[in-house]
Amino acid sequence: MAHLERSAVADVEGPWVNPNFESGLIERCKSGWNMPVVDLSNELLATYLRQKIALSLVVPEAERRLATNFIDDTELPDDELKNALAYVRGEE
């Protein structure tokens, strides 16, 4: 798992490709694209989960954070990370 911790979404999905339009969601996704998954905010991690981006990285990280009750400074509802993970698993 140690090597996965330093991996970024770009390592799974490839380099960022600018779409032909802009949105808050696109800007959020782009902001963490090259960041190690362990450095992502819970909000961005939940965003990648809901968009089904780099699941081989973000699912284990979300599970680790939920198991350790990791809370960061993002203004995310308490259960959003858990709900995003359930969404990916088809449990929602």
Side-chain angles (χ1 to χ4, degrees), residues 13-92:
E13 299 289 343
W16 178 261
V17 176
N18 282 321
N20 294 329
F21 60 95
E22 294 181 23
S23 73
L25 174 62
I26 289 170
E27 287 305 309
R28 259 193 326 276
C29 289
K30 182 180 178 181
S31 72
W33 202 258
N34 294 302
M35 190 181 299
V37 71
V38 296
D39 294 337
L40 296 175
S41 67
N42 282 353
E43 179 182 24
L44 196 47
L45 194 61
T47 298
Y48 288 137
L49 284 166
R50 290 206 178 267
Q51 298 304 309
K52 297 185 178 179
I53 295 172
L55 293 179
S56 63
L57 284 178
V58 298
V59 167
E61 180 61 16
E63 290 170 339
R64 184 189 69 78
R65 291 182 188 193
L66 290 170
T68 61
N69 294 316
F70 177 82
I71 297 173
D72 62 11
D73 293 332
T74 54
E75 295 182 18
L76 195 67
D78 291 342
D79 58 353
E80 178 55 22
L81 194 55
K82 182 177 110 182
N83 290 342
L85 189 57
Y87 170 77
V88 165
R89 293 177 172 159
E91 299 169 357
E92 189 175 74

